[in-house]
Amino acid sequence: MFDPKLKQALARVQKPGRYTGGEPGCVYKDKSQVDLRFAFCFPDTYEVGMSFLGMKILYELLNQHPNWWCERAFMPWLDMVQQHRELGLPLYTLESKDPLTDFDIVGFTLQYELSYTNILAMLDLAGIPFYAADRDESWPLIVAGGPCVCNAEPIAPFFDMMMLGEGEWQLQKVCETVEQAKKEGWTKRRLLEQLAGIPGCYVPSFYDVTYQPDGRIQSITPNCPQAPAKVTKVILQDMDSYAPPTHFVVPMVGAIHDRAQVEVLRGCVRGCRFCQAGFLYRPMRQRSVGMLNEAARDLCANTGYEEVSLTSLSTSDHSQLEQLLDEMDTWTPQEHVSISLPSLRIDNFSESLIEKTTKVRKSGLTFAPEAGTQRLRDVINKNITWDEIEKSCKIAFKAGYSSVKLYFMMGLPTETMEDIEGIAETAQRVVDLYYSNPDKPKGKGVQVTISVACFVPKPHTPFQFVPQDTKEQLEAKQQHLLHSVHSRKIRVNYHDSSTSFLEAVFAKGDRRLAPVIEAAYRKGCFFDGWDECFRYDVWLETFREFGLDTAFYANRTIGEDEITPWSHMDYGVSHAFLVHEYHKALAAQTTQPCNRQCSGCGANHLLGGPCFAYDTDLVHENR
């Protein structure tokens, strides 16, 4: 039964389907028959959250336990937030419509720094106190996972516990522990002590942080015997030990990525120095062809999707991708299912891959040179050349493509205005290549779209030490790029430098930012990642009120031996390796991908041995 207030609210908002639940694939249980209830919270809209593969994986995994029930909650859009407040309607989960306060665990996924105020908004709408110190045993345990946990210190005081690494095994251990605590009547302190003993679990209140007079961190010290000095992430050593989910909740309101998704591998071999995910998810581990093919077919059959995406950070680096596509091509054309490879690499793009993925329909074609000159591509360790870009574009044009998207960044370390001009020149060379190519599509003009993001230096990467370009520097580079493009065949899109600046502040921030985030939220800041909601002036005003300098976090060089807010987080890659890669970057020297040569980053200790069998031919197939 819908709460009468909820019925009233749904009649007043756009897209009420965001808030009704009842989608195909939902899991419903008798709450009187379960011992543990978990609310999986995504701090953004339904459409964004329902595109997130991690939620689908953990939703299916937790609900396989007969006595656990995992449900979903999303950040309501502005019109629904107003209804929650006006009607006194607490934030609820879509499955049971019960408020978040009825749950044993409320878990947030931290995918993006600019969602931090949305977390507070969701807690506020649920009537849950913000700070962990203000919540006793009567409140749900508030936990978090996801990539931003690698430095979630700006919001650490709001959470009881955070999880580093991959959640399949770890989250089940957490749920088992909370279930036991509930049955045996443990205090919250005892529960947190037990959780701190689970690999990869970080209890922020068990660590004291002290600061030097200049604002840098002096020490991060455990204050509890159960808390390790360094928290080490958890990984799945064998990806085949957990099959991909084969039952998705199919959204009622179209998700941004509304299709079947199968994760083919985890991690990445490339070592791009700007890419946080590439370092956080090391080492690369892939699933077997048989498991992937079966999962893809079952998922499409169970959901009715007519597109299956083979997802990962670098799908074309799967050592048996061609074999997988051959097996999928035995059933996808008959089932009218198309295959998309969203993370193709320029240097292993081929006619064979196009042929095997376009038998039903063509998807868009996107390449990511990231930088406009070879020197800067070497600085960031992109390991691609113009010859490889040219070869891939020729293959695409021959296959009938007449539009190409090119992704770049600006504000990269050592970047000059010549590098910015190189972005425009690269796009122009692609246009010229199209018209000089005898194999181009007949009667069609070419369209090259440049998308340029502002570089944000991130923790646990070789570029964590570098300052971000200032807002003024980034805006000058954006204008220079626009003036460097001289063809109507080239369209330029670029990101707002203000949001990228705040992202850098949070990415490198410490616990002193928590009161700032709370104060900005109380002034009306949330949905900061949405241009129409972002209030840059309010953020700057709030930082000033608390006497904190944003440039201290975003625009200064971090010392190579400096204690950072994330120094007590171990993601497998050694600090010495990051420093070594940083120096190689400044010298524009490249490092080989991991499947060609081990660079000694340290992540192999998470596997207990080498990441690759370097003496086998299989590893070298994609050279």
Short mmCIF file of all heavy atoms in Angstrom, two decimals, residues 237 239 265-270 281-286 314 317-319 594-595 603 607 611-612:
data_model
loop_
_atom_site.label_atom_id
_atom_site.label_comp_id
_atom_site.label_asym_id
_atom_site.label_seq_id
_atom_site.Cartn_x
_atom_site.Cartn_y
_atom_site.Cartn_z
N GLN A 237 40.58 -12.30 -6.36
CA GLN A 237 41.76 -12.81 -7.04
C GLN A 237 41.38 -13.56 -8.31
O GLN A 237 42.13 -13.55 -9.29
CB GLN A 237 42.54 -13.72 -6.09
CG GLN A 237 43.16 -12.97 -4.92
CD GLN A 237 44.08 -13.84 -4.08
OE1 GLN A 237 44.06 -15.07 -4.17
NE2 GLN A 237 44.91 -13.21 -3.28
N MET A 239 38.30 -13.78 -10.98
CA MET A 239 37.03 -13.18 -11.40
C MET A 239 35.97 -14.24 -11.69
O MET A 239 34.77 -13.97 -11.60
CB MET A 239 37.24 -12.31 -12.64
CG MET A 239 37.97 -11.00 -12.35
SD MET A 239 37.01 -9.88 -11.28
CE MET A 239 35.73 -9.35 -12.40
N LEU A 265 36.30 -7.85 -17.57
CA LEU A 265 37.55 -7.87 -16.80
C LEU A 265 37.52 -6.73 -15.81
O LEU A 265 36.68 -5.83 -15.89
CB LEU A 265 38.78 -7.79 -17.72
CG LEU A 265 38.95 -6.57 -18.64
CD1 LEU A 265 39.63 -5.40 -17.93
CD2 LEU A 265 39.76 -6.95 -19.88
N ARG A 266 38.41 -6.78 -14.86
CA ARG A 266 38.53 -5.72 -13.86
C ARG A 266 39.98 -5.29 -13.80
O ARG A 266 40.89 -6.11 -13.88
CB ARG A 266 38.05 -6.22 -12.50
CG ARG A 266 37.67 -5.12 -11.52
CD ARG A 266 36.92 -5.68 -10.32
NE ARG A 266 35.55 -6.06 -10.62
CZ ARG A 266 34.73 -6.65 -9.77
NH1 ARG A 266 35.14 -6.92 -8.54
NH2 ARG A 266 33.49 -6.96 -10.13
N GLY A 267 40.19 -4.00 -13.62
CA GLY A 267 41.54 -3.48 -13.65
C GLY A 267 41.92 -3.05 -15.06
O GLY A 267 41.11 -3.05 -15.98
N CYS A 268 43.17 -2.66 -15.23
CA CYS A 268 43.64 -2.19 -16.53
C CYS A 268 45.15 -2.36 -16.60
O CYS A 268 45.84 -2.20 -15.59
CB CYS A 268 43.27 -0.71 -16.72
SG CYS A 268 43.70 -0.05 -18.35
N VAL A 269 45.66 -2.67 -17.80
CA VAL A 269 47.10 -2.87 -17.96
C VAL A 269 47.81 -1.62 -18.44
O VAL A 269 49.04 -1.60 -18.52
CB VAL A 269 47.38 -4.02 -18.96
CG1 VAL A 269 46.81 -5.32 -18.45
CG2 VAL A 269 46.81 -3.69 -20.35
N ARG A 270 47.06 -0.56 -18.75
CA ARG A 270 47.64 0.53 -19.53
C ARG A 270 48.56 1.46 -18.74
O ARG A 270 49.54 1.96 -19.26
CB ARG A 270 46.51 1.34 -20.15
CG ARG A 270 45.70 0.55 -21.17
CD ARG A 270 46.53 0.28 -22.41
NE ARG A 270 45.87 -0.62 -23.34
CZ ARG A 270 46.07 -0.58 -24.65
NH1 ARG A 270 46.89 0.31 -25.16
NH2 ARG A 270 45.47 -1.44 -25.44
N TYR A 281 42.06 -0.19 -9.38
CA TYR A 281 41.54 -1.54 -9.64
C TYR A 281 42.62 -2.52 -10.10
O TYR A 281 42.31 -3.61 -10.55
CB TYR A 281 40.40 -1.47 -10.66
CG TYR A 281 39.19 -0.75 -10.11
CD1 TYR A 281 38.89 0.54 -10.53
CD2 TYR A 281 38.38 -1.33 -9.16
CE1 TYR A 281 37.79 1.22 -10.01
CE2 TYR A 281 37.29 -0.66 -8.64
CZ TYR A 281 36.99 0.61 -9.07
OH TYR A 281 35.91 1.29 -8.55
N ARG A 282 43.89 -2.13 -9.98
CA ARG A 282 44.96 -3.08 -10.29
C ARG A 282 44.92 -4.26 -9.32
O ARG A 282 44.50 -4.09 -8.18
CB ARG A 282 46.32 -2.40 -10.18
CG ARG A 282 46.62 -1.46 -11.33
CD ARG A 282 48.07 -1.01 -11.28
NE ARG A 282 48.35 -0.16 -12.43
CZ ARG A 282 49.56 0.02 -12.96
NH1 ARG A 282 50.61 -0.59 -12.43
NH2 ARG A 282 49.74 0.80 -14.00
N PRO A 283 45.40 -5.43 -9.75
CA PRO A 283 45.87 -5.79 -11.09
C PRO A 283 44.72 -6.19 -11.99
O PRO A 283 43.61 -6.45 -11.52
CB PRO A 283 46.79 -6.97 -10.82
CG PRO A 283 46.20 -7.63 -9.61
CD PRO A 283 45.64 -6.51 -8.76
N MET A 284 44.99 -6.24 -13.31
CA MET A 284 43.95 -6.67 -14.24
C MET A 284 43.68 -8.16 -14.07
O MET A 284 44.60 -8.96 -13.98
CB MET A 284 44.37 -6.40 -15.68
CG MET A 284 43.22 -6.62 -16.66
SD MET A 284 43.70 -6.51 -18.40
CE MET A 284 43.85 -8.25 -18.81
N ARG A 285 42.37 -8.50 -14.03
CA ARG A 285 41.93 -9.90 -13.97
C ARG A 285 40.75 -10.05 -14.92
O ARG A 285 39.88 -9.19 -14.94
CB ARG A 285 41.49 -10.27 -12.55
CG ARG A 285 42.61 -10.26 -11.50
CD ARG A 285 42.15 -9.64 -10.19
NE ARG A 285 41.96 -8.22 -10.29
CZ ARG A 285 41.00 -7.54 -9.66
NH1 ARG A 285 40.12 -8.16 -8.89
NH2 ARG A 285 40.90 -6.23 -9.80
N GLN A 286 40.73 -11.10 -15.70
CA GLN A 286 39.67 -11.26 -16.69
C GLN A 286 38.85 -12.52 -16.43
O GLN A 286 39.31 -13.46 -15.80
CB GLN A 286 40.26 -11.30 -18.10
CG GLN A 286 41.16 -12.49 -18.39
CD GLN A 286 41.76 -12.39 -19.78
OE1 GLN A 286 42.11 -11.32 -20.27
NE2 GLN A 286 41.90 -13.53 -20.44
N SER A 314 39.01 -1.39 -20.10
CA SER A 314 39.74 -1.58 -21.36
C SER A 314 39.38 -2.93 -21.95
O SER A 314 40.17 -3.86 -21.95
CB SER A 314 41.26 -1.50 -21.10
OG SER A 314 41.97 -1.62 -22.29
N ASP A 317 41.47 -5.17 -24.23
CA ASP A 317 42.67 -5.81 -23.69
C ASP A 317 42.40 -7.21 -23.16
O ASP A 317 43.32 -7.88 -22.68
CB ASP A 317 43.28 -4.95 -22.57
CG ASP A 317 44.05 -3.76 -23.13
OD1 ASP A 317 44.70 -3.93 -24.19
OD2 ASP A 317 44.00 -2.68 -22.53
N HIS A 318 41.14 -7.67 -23.22
CA HIS A 318 40.86 -9.07 -22.86
C HIS A 318 41.61 -9.96 -23.85
O HIS A 318 41.47 -9.80 -25.07
CB HIS A 318 39.36 -9.35 -22.92
CG HIS A 318 38.96 -10.65 -22.28
ND1 HIS A 318 39.29 -11.87 -22.84
CD2 HIS A 318 38.27 -10.94 -21.15
CE1 HIS A 318 38.81 -12.85 -22.08
NE2 HIS A 318 38.20 -12.30 -21.04
N SER A 319 42.39 -10.88 -23.34
CA SER A 319 43.28 -11.65 -24.21
C SER A 319 42.55 -12.57 -25.17
O SER A 319 43.12 -13.04 -26.14
CB SER A 319 44.27 -12.46 -23.36
OG SER A 319 43.57 -13.43 -22.59
N CYS A 594 51.12 -3.40 -18.47
CA CYS A 594 51.48 -4.48 -17.54
C CYS A 594 51.54 -5.86 -18.19
O CYS A 594 52.28 -6.73 -17.72
CB CYS A 594 50.46 -4.55 -16.40
SG CYS A 594 50.27 -3.02 -15.50
N ASN A 595 50.73 -6.09 -19.23
CA ASN A 595 50.74 -7.42 -19.83
C ASN A 595 51.89 -7.61 -20.81
O ASN A 595 52.05 -8.69 -21.38
CB ASN A 595 49.41 -7.72 -20.51
CG ASN A 595 49.05 -6.72 -21.61
OD1 ASN A 595 49.65 -5.65 -21.70
ND2 ASN A 595 48.07 -7.07 -22.42
N ALA A 603 51.20 -4.19 -6.98
CA ALA A 603 49.85 -4.76 -6.88
C ALA A 603 49.83 -6.28 -6.93
O ALA A 603 48.84 -6.90 -6.53
CB ALA A 603 48.97 -4.20 -8.00
N LEU A 607 47.63 -10.58 -5.26
CA LEU A 607 47.35 -11.88 -5.86
C LEU A 607 48.22 -12.98 -5.25
O LEU A 607 47.94 -14.16 -5.46
CB LEU A 607 47.62 -11.83 -7.37
CG LEU A 607 46.68 -10.97 -8.22
CD1 LEU A 607 47.17 -10.91 -9.66
CD2 LEU A 607 45.26 -11.52 -8.17
N CYS A 611 51.17 -11.01 -11.74
CA CYS A 611 49.86 -10.70 -12.31
C CYS A 611 49.63 -11.43 -13.64
O CYS A 611 48.50 -11.72 -14.01
CB CYS A 611 49.74 -9.20 -12.54
SG CYS A 611 49.93 -8.22 -11.05
N PHE A 612 50.72 -11.67 -14.37
CA PHE A 612 50.63 -12.34 -15.66
C PHE A 612 51.72 -13.41 -15.76
O PHE A 612 52.79 -13.27 -15.16
CB PHE A 612 50.81 -11.34 -16.82
CG PHE A 612 49.73 -10.31 -16.91
CD1 PHE A 612 49.89 -9.07 -16.30
CD2 PHE A 612 48.56 -10.58 -17.58
CE1 PHE A 612 48.88 -8.12 -16.37
CE2 PHE A 612 47.55 -9.63 -17.65
CZ PHE A 612 47.70 -8.40 -17.05
#
